[in-house]
């Protein structure tokens, strides 16, 4: 092959040009993310059990979940965490299993459990590892907690309307709660009990279908809607009425507050109450594209926001990807320039140019094959590319210097290229095989760490 391309320089040039074009066309299509993507193998099962202690959850929830899912053939491991108010089990699938079928099997087995305590809520089964963290936005400002949550909800809605962003979650708040406090003295005065108040609210705060009404040209669906969703609506609710027409409303005897259920469940940023907008991406989305879209949105939002409202980026994993890309680009340009200058100092300009061309050709050709194998630009593939950068530069200098030595002996350019390359080929090949021997075993590691590190020897 060396002799063929040396004897046919036009074919060699066409091959180099072809690899360059393939890489240039492929480069915009490569995903950029923090870590390599690999198929998820874990399913989470969450069973809420309000008011239960961790010991109760262990006995009533975790043991039953473990017994049920152990019957599935593709289960490798089951871990159940018993905590106050909920049991959370993570079921891991074997590497040979199909995740969609595995998820269905877990759902079937969990839904078939009929001896959970009556107080437990409906189990929630979901697949883990379907999204990746990009960045979080901490929102602070001179406003009440409810207003901060409402503002965060509005931000979430508008961020999700961005074409590049699809996943936004709000952290830093517990469940919203309308709390009704009635003094015991007033309850005794009107002959009421807490259950009477609860029953009255349940009867008068409803949202139910009420049948349908058919006409000649259409059918109308009728619905009775009187759901009380705010303190003002609850205050107007009648709790006591007399034969004379007198009425006592809930607002006359109770204090109604709109608050969050758990005061301790909150986020603080620089000592101030904050809403945390957690922005993630799906496996098909590009980390830096998502980040650039969010950054542009925040720049616009800062100009229109109320004075005192601040936005801060935190947990920014995209910065790692961007920094590595900049380092890879910088090192590549420096390596290319240094090799070209060193060759130019000792050899002719044309000779130095063709030696330096090996770097962009190899890199762009490698990026094309990365896309063929489904690999992305991430922290580990960039580590592999940096290693390859050093190997390419070393081999280029060794081979080119030996070719120049044969040229100085009076050989023709063709003979010098063939003989010079053949002479150092065993050493260059041995150097390559040594690198393969060091990094190759990473491709055979098992488990999640093996799936992540496998990209290094491949790239």
């Amino acid at each position: 092959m060396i002799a063929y391309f040396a004897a046919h320089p036009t074919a060699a040039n066409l091959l180099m040009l072809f690899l360059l074009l393939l890489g240039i066309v492929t480069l915009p299509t490569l995903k950029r993310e923090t870590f390599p993507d690999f198929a998820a193998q874990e399913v989470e099962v969450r069973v809420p059990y309000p008011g239960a202690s961790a010991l109760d959850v262990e006995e009533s929830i975790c043991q039953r979940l473990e017994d049920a899912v152990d019957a599935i053939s593709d289960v490798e491991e089951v871990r159940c965490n018993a905590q106050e108010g909920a049991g959370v089990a993570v079921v891991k699938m074997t590497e040979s299993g199909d995740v969609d079928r595995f998820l269905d099997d877990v759902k079937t087995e969990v839904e078939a459990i009929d001896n959970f305590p009556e107080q437990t809520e409906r189990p929630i089964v979901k697949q883990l590892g379907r999204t990746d963290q990009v960045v979080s936005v901490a929102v602070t400002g001179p406003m009440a907690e409810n207003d901060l949550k409402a503002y965060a909800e509005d931000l979430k809605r508008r961020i999700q309307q961005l074409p590049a962003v699809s996943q936004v979650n709000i952290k830093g708040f517990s469940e919203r709660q309308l709390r009704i406090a009635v003094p015991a003295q007033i309850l005794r005065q009107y002959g009421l009990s807490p259950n009477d108040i609860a029953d009255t609210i349940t009867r008068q705060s409803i949202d139910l279908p009420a049948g349908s009404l058919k006409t000649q040209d259409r059918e109308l669906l009728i619905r009775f809607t009187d759901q009380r969703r705010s303190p003002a609506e609850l205050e107007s609710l009648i709790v006591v009425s007399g034969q004379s027409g007198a009425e006592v409303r809930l607002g006359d005897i109770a204090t109604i507050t709109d608050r969050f259920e758990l005061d301790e469940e909150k986020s603080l940023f620089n000592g101030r109450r904050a809403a945390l907008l957690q922005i993630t991406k799906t496996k098909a989305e590009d980390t830096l594209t998502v980040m650039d879209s969010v950054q542009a949105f925040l720049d616009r939002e800062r100009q229109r926001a109320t004075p005192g409202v601040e936005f801060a980026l935190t947990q920014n994993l995209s910065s790692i990807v961007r920094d590595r890309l900049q380092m890879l680009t910088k090192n590549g340009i420096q390596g290319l320039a240094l090799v070209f200058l060193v060759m130019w100092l000792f050899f002719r300009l044309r000779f130095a140019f063709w030696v330096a061309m090996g770097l962009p050709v190899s890199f762009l050709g490698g990026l094309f094959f990365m896309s063929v194998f489904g690999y992305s630009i991430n922290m580990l593939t960039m580590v592999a590319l940096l290693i390859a950068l050093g190997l390419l530069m070393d081999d280029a200098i060794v081979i080119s210097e030996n070719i120049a030595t044969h040229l100085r002996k009076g050989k023709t350019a063709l003979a010098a290229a063939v003989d010079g390359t053949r002479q150092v080929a065993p050493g260059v090949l041995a150097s390559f095989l040594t690198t393969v021997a060091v990094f190759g075993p990473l491709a055979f590691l098992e488990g999640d760490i093996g799936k992540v590190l496998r990209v290094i020897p491949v790239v």
Side-chain angles (χ1 to χ4, degrees):
M1 183 178 292
I2 296 173
Y4 175 80
F5 282 119
H8 301 82
T10 302
N13 291 340
L14 288 176
L15 177 61
M16 293 174 66
L17 182 62
F18 181 63
L19 289 174
L20 284 171
L21 290 176
L22 284 178
I24 292 172
V25 172
T26 302
L27 193 57
T29 66
L30 282 172
K31 283 190 306 178
R32 296 167 296 179
E33 54 190 358
T34 310
F35 292 105
D37 178 25
F38 58 89
Q41 288 186 292
E42 293 183 338
V43 173
E44 179 187 271
V45 182
R46 178 180 293 271
V47 183
Y49 190 3
S53 66
L55 181 59
D56 293 335
V57 172
E58 172 65 28
E59 295 176 350
S60 304
I61 304 296
C62 286
Q63 292 182 5
R64 290 173 171 81
L65 282 176
E66 291 171 355
D67 293 340
V69 299
D70 274 341
I72 303 174
S73 58
D74 290 333
V75 170
E76 179 179 313
E77 181 184 10
V78 183
R79 305 186 306 273
C80 188
N81 178 27
Q83 56 193 30
E84 291 185 5
V88 182
V90 176
V91 188
K92 186 175 182 179
M93 180 186 70
T94 59
E95 293 192 13
S96 59
D98 178 77
V99 67
D100 293 328
R101 188 184 67 182
F102 183 70
L103 180 61
D104 291 337
D105 291 342
V106 173
K107 286 182 178 180
T108 301
E109 294 296 334
V110 171
E111 290 172 356
I113 300 174
D114 57 3
N115 57 349
F116 280 146
E118 294 182 0
Q119 294 81 7
T120 57
E121 299 177 5
R122 184 180 181 87
I124 302 170
V125 182
K126 65 178 181 180
Q127 180 183 334
L128 297 178
R130 300 178 65 178
T131 59
D132 295 322
Q133 170 79 10
V134 177
V135 68
S136 293
V137 181
V139 184
T140 58
M143 60 186 77
E145 294 179 356
N146 292 335
D147 296 333
L148 182 61
K149 175 68 180 296
Y151 183 53
E153 292 283 359
D154 179 63
L155 287 175
K156 173 184 175 180
R157 176 184 58 80
R158 288 190 284 127
I159 291 176
Q160 285 183 318
Q161 291 176 352
L162 300 174
V165 183
S166 60
Q167 307 285 327
V168 183
N169 295 313
I170 298 178
K171 302 292 184 180
F173 301 93
S174 60
E175 293 293 328
R176 203 163 180 175
Q177 183 183 73
L178 292 174
R179 182 170 295 183
I180 302 170
V182 185
Q185 180 182 354
I186 294 180
L187 287 176
R188 290 194 297 269
Q189 178 181 342
Y190 289 99
L192 299 173
S193 67
N195 287 336
D196 294 332
I197 299 294
D199 292 341
T200 301
I201 295 173
T202 302
R203 291 196 304 269
Q204 298 188 46
S205 180
I206 57 176
D207 185 1
L208 295 172
S212 60
L213 178 64
K214 292 184 178 181
T215 64
Q216 292 182 350
D217 56 348
R218 69 182 67 181
E219 181 178 357
L220 302 176
L221 297 178
I222 302 173
R223 189 175 189 87
F224 184 84
T225 303
D226 190 24
Q227 190 82 39
R228 310 299 174 105
R229 301 181 184 273
S230 68
E233 292 174 345
L234 283 172
E235 287 173 355
S236 63
L237 190 147
I238 300 172
V239 292
V240 178
S241 60
Q243 295 180 354
S244 62
E247 297 176 340
V248 177
R249 300 183 181 274
L250 186 60
D252 299 330
I253 64 173
T255 301
I256 305 173
T257 55
D258 186 355
R259 51 168 295 159
F260 295 102
E261 183 178 2
L262 301 174
D263 293 333
E264 64 274 15
E265 189 173 333
K266 61 183 178 182
S267 294
L268 296 177
F269 189 81
N270 292 335
R272 303 173 64 186
R273 182 66 191 267
L276 209 61
L277 297 175
Q278 191 177 64
I279 299 167
T280 58
K281 73 173 190 68
T282 63
K283 297 298 184 183
E285 293 172 339
D286 183 273
T287 296
L288 297 187
T289 301
V290 173
M291 183 62 207
D292 292 341
S293 183
V294 172
Q295 186 68 66
F297 173 84
L298 292 179
D299 292 340
R300 296 191 300 267
E301 191 65 24
R302 288 187 178 98
Q303 298 176 1
R304 55 169 288 184
T306 305
V309 176
E310 297 180 359
F311 306 92
L313 298 178
T314 182
Q315 300 174 351
N316 185 5
L317 296 184
S318 70
S319 63
I320 302 174
V321 181
R322 198 180 301 275
D323 290 344
R324 295 299 187 277
L325 274 174
Q326 291 174 349
M327 181 174 66
L328 178 63
T329 304
K330 181 179 178 181
N331 287 5
I333 294 174
Q334 289 177 346
L336 184 64
L338 288 173
V339 169
F340 178 76
L341 289 174
V342 170
M343 294 292 106
W344 192 17
L345 287 174
F346 298 99
F347 309 111
R348 289 173 298 183
L349 177 63
R350 185 178 176 185
F351 188 87
F353 172 79
W354 285 113
V355 171
M357 279 299 294
L359 178 60
V361 170
S362 300
F363 256 60
L364 290 173
L367 291 175
F368 166 73
F369 285 104
M370 281 175 58
S371 70
V372 171
F373 287 110
Y375 286 170
S376 63
I377 296 292
N378 56 67
M379 289 177 61
L380 294 181
T381 55
M382 283 187 282
V383 167
L385 288 171
L386 286 169
I387 295 172
L389 175 64
L391 296 174
L392 285 170
M393 293 298 94
D394 290 343
D395 292 345
I397 293 172
V398 169
I399 296 173
S400 59
E401 193 279 333
N402 199 51
I403 293 174
T405 300
H406 284 267
L407 279 173
R408 287 194 294 267
K409 293 178 180 180
K411 294 184 179 180
T412 63
L414 174 59
V418 175
D419 295 341
T421 304
R422 281 177 175 170
Q423 186 175 12
V424 296
V428 172
L429 180 61
S431 173
F432 169 72
L433 293 178
T434 302
T435 306
V436 171
V438 173
F439 292 99
L442 295 178
F444 302 98
L445 292 178
E446 297 182 352
D448 292 341
I449 189 67
K451 296 175 185 175
V452 172
L453 295 179
R454 190 170 297 159
V455 301
I456 292 180
V458 174
V459 173

